[in-house]
Amino acid sequence: MLNQHIVCFEHEQLYPADSPVKPASGLREIPQALFDELFNHTLAQPQVWLVRDWHGKQAVLKTRQYVGVIQGNCGHVLEILPKTGKAGHAPDEMRLMLLHMLQALPDMPFKVLPRQALVQLAKMPLLELFIQQALTGILSVLQHGLKQHYRIQQDNLAVLRGRLLVQQQVRHNHSDQARFFSEHEEYQANCAENRILRLALNIILRISHTANHQHLAQACIQRMAHIPASGQPEQDFKAVRLDRNTQYYSSALQWARLIISGFSPTIAQGPQPAFSLLFDMNKLFENMVACQLKKQLPLGWQLKKQQKTAALLQVNNQPQQKLQPDLLVLDEQQPIAVLDSKWKNKNGTTFSQLKPDEHELYQMFAYAAAYLPKGGSVCLVYPKTAQFSRSVEQAMFQHIRDAEVHLWLLPFCLQRFELVDAPFLLSATTNQH
């Protein structure tokens, strides 16, 4: 049976082929072999990205807020896309949105890709997209030339190379005058950077389903046949030292890290798929909002991420339970707004319709009391939808002394990648005029 590539979305139920479940919105059929493998993973160890569930009397699996790609040991590939894809968007559109979000993550190789390149890449399955970019980076390194360095070698040779080591010569060759125990320098390509790339190529050869990618990986491996694959990639990554002469390795190493981390996943302990590269949508959305808001702020304003200078309690003069909002906006060092990003679909035009969770309101009240003693805005940021396209205020926190703190529910546009109707931005624009 040919390996299948299945596309689903967050928070969908997965059911095995040939089960009595009928296709419907929020349900996705997957091959029996892949279902059994993933189900057994959840039995062996809880998975943060997948849980067991029921659909009537049929045992099913349910994806959570993680997106990315999973390849089972059976060979089938499951691609999970953001949940807004269920609103009628094509997988290409959701894949493109995901790539834009990945650009906002630090140390992600997507940063260097222009928008038009992302549009073309979004037409490919996610696994092959990662593989193509990794191969492109490695090919670029090979065309530029592999890094080489001098390495001190000690060996018992038939010819004298370098410096004769007298003690070792006497010990090993006292009865064989035709050999020389010497120490010399060798100029070789066996360094951390090249071992990492070689390991990534070995993994690509195992996980790729595309003949072209397998051919390219084989060609690259032939050109690096004299270099062993990294046996300890974490140590090798720590040993990487790029300077102006080796900066051309940067992109290839970033892609290699993605490939290697996917092959050695740390999502959970216990049995694992052959390859899994997953991203928490909560973190992706939080990073995207921060990245884009920084571009929208007026000159001289500051944006601080994960600020934790305030605490909820003080025990024996020691702060306890740090208060850590996603974002803090400052104007001339004065905090004027606190923002927390929530990856949840909201529909409505009024506060009562949108109805933030009670624990979110308590959380935002604590942030307001701690970080906005002179008043300001506390904002819950959600993805923009057709029914939630404008900001909603209609609320002001009570019991905060000497200050007015307003609670706003703000949409973030995932097409234009910008915060909509932020009150502090609107007031800054008004003051400038």
Side-chain angles (χ1 to χ4, degrees):
M1 180 180 176
L2 292 175
N3 293 326
Q4 294 185 35
H5 177 266
I6 306 99
V7 176
C8 71
F9 296 96
E10 298 173 87
H11 305 294
E12 281 195 332
Q13 289 184 328
L14 310 176
Y15 65 92
D18 301 324
S19 72
V21 176
K22 295 181 179 179
S25 176
L27 291 168
R28 190 73 54 173
E29 180 183 291
I30 65 174
Q32 183 75 53
L34 180 59
F35 181 88
D36 291 343
E37 182 179 332
L38 296 179
F39 196 88
N40 288 335
H41 289 163
T42 64
L43 290 174
Q45 184 77 24
Q47 308 284 312
V48 297
W49 69 277
L50 189 70
V51 293
R52 297 188 301 280
D53 203 0
W54 292 93
H55 184 80
K57 295 182 179 180
Q58 173 68 46
V60 295
L61 295 167
K62 187 174 183 179
T63 57
R64 300 180 72 187
Q65 80 279 5
Y66 284 79
V67 296
V69 62
I70 299 286
Q71 185 181 60
N73 292 294
C74 57
H76 300 302
V77 177
L78 179 67
E79 181 175 342
I80 309 171
L81 294 176
K83 63 190 172 191
T84 50
K86 291 190 287 189
H89 296 294
D92 290 7
E93 294 179 57
M94 293 300 97
R95 209 175 280 125
L96 178 60
M97 188 190 78
L98 175 58
L99 294 181
H100 278 294
M101 287 187 160
L102 290 173
Q103 279 190 313
L105 285 179
D107 302 321
M108 286 294 285
F110 294 99
K111 281 185 176 295
V112 299
L113 297 175
R115 177 176 175 80
Q116 194 53 42
L118 288 181
V119 171
Q120 293 303 314
L121 287 173
K123 297 176 182 178
M124 300 172 59
L126 206 54
L127 178 60
E128 297 301 332
L129 185 158
F130 290 145
I131 289 172
Q132 186 207 64
Q133 291 303 297
L135 287 172
T136 300
I138 294 171
L139 280 168
S140 176
V141 168
L142 289 172
Q143 289 167 1
H144 196 287
L146 288 173
K147 173 185 175 181
Q148 298 189 68
H149 67 147
Y150 284 104
R151 188 173 180 179
I152 296 176
Q153 296 279 94
Q154 290 186 0
D155 208 349
N156 201 9
L157 304 173
V159 294
L160 179 61
R161 291 182 62 188
R163 182 169 65 93
L164 183 69
L165 301 176
V166 177
Q167 288 185 352
Q168 288 89 334
Q169 175 72 11
V170 172
R171 185 181 308 123
H172 295 279
N173 298 328
H174 65 278
S175 60
D176 185 0
Q177 300 299 313
R179 302 194 69 83
F180 303 90
F181 206 105
S182 60
E183 180 180 270
H184 60 278
E185 289 186 327
E186 277 194 358
Y187 197 52
Q188 57 180 246
N190 183 8
C191 59
E193 294 85 353
N194 293 335
R195 290 193 297 270
I196 288 168
L197 298 187
R198 178 62 196 274
L199 175 60
L201 286 169
N202 289 354
I203 294 170
I204 287 170
L205 208 56
R206 294 180 62 176
I207 64 175
S208 178
H209 291 165
T210 304
N212 183 46
H213 288 166
Q214 290 196 345
H215 174 74
L216 284 174
Q218 285 279 19
C220 291
I221 286 174
Q222 287 178 4
R223 294 178 63 177
M224 300 181 73
H226 58 296
I227 300 168
S230 175
Q232 297 179 310
E234 281 305 312
Q235 283 82 348
D236 275 343
F237 273 114
K238 290 177 183 176
V240 169
R241 296 291 182 269
L242 298 183
D243 54 32
R244 60 189 182 129
N245 295 319
T246 55
Q247 194 59 38
Y248 63 94
Y249 268 82
S250 178
S251 178
L253 288 171
Q254 286 179 321
W255 285 109
R257 184 184 284 276
L258 273 183
I259 297 295
I260 293 168
S261 65
F263 193 69
S264 308
T266 55
I267 292 295
Q269 301 300 314
Q272 291 289 295
F275 183 88
S276 68
L277 193 54
L278 297 169
F279 305 92
D280 186 344
M281 279 304 300
N282 294 327
K283 295 295 182 186
L284 285 182
F285 185 59
E286 176 187 319
N287 275 281
M288 170 59 81
V289 171
C291 181
Q292 298 305 120
L293 179 57
K294 193 172 184 179
K295 299 175 184 177
Q296 291 180 251
L297 291 181
L299 191 65
W301 286 29
Q302 287 182 285
L303 184 67
K304 293 189 176 181
K305 293 177 62 177
Q306 302 292 333
Q307 185 78 359
K308 50 182 179 181
T309 54
L312 186 64
L313 302 171
Q314 195 165 26
V315 179
N316 297 325
N317 294 321
Q318 295 295 320
Q320 303 286 329
Q321 300 293 325
K322 293 280 188 176
L323 293 170
Q324 189 171 333
D326 289 346
L327 300 169
L328 184 65
V329 179
L330 301 95
D331 179 11
E332 296 182 353
Q333 304 300 317
Q334 176 65 41
I336 59 169
V338 170
L339 294 88
D340 229 44
S341 306
K342 306 293 181 184
W343 180 250
K344 297 178 180 178
N345 277 339
K346 291 287 186 179
N347 294 307
T349 56
T350 65
F351 191 88
S352 57
Q353 289 174 340
L354 295 168
K355 199 175 181 181
D357 294 342
E358 188 174 334
H359 74 87
E360 292 176 356
L361 295 177
Y362 284 124
Q363 182 185 40
M364 301 312 284
F365 177 81
Y367 292 161
Y371 289 102
L372 301 173
K374 296 185 178 180
S377 301
V378 170
C379 309
L380 284 166
V381 182
Y382 303 101
K384 179 183 175 182
T385 64
Q387 292 76 31
F388 174 50
S389 60
R390 309 298 298 182
S391 63
V392 174
E393 187 218 2
Q394 297 181 334
M396 187 170 72
F397 281 119
Q398 303 295 301
H399 311 296
I400 295 180
R401 292 182 180 179
D402 307 322
E404 285 190 4
V405 179
H406 295 260
L407 173 65
W408 293 78
L409 311 181
L410 302 181
F412 183 87
C413 180
L414 292 168
Q415 281 70 49
R416 299 177 62 183
F417 302 105
E418 65 180 16
L419 198 59
V420 178
D421 294 344
F424 48 90
L425 295 178
L426 293 175
S427 63
T429 303
T430 304
N431 291 338
Q432 286 175 357
H433 293 296

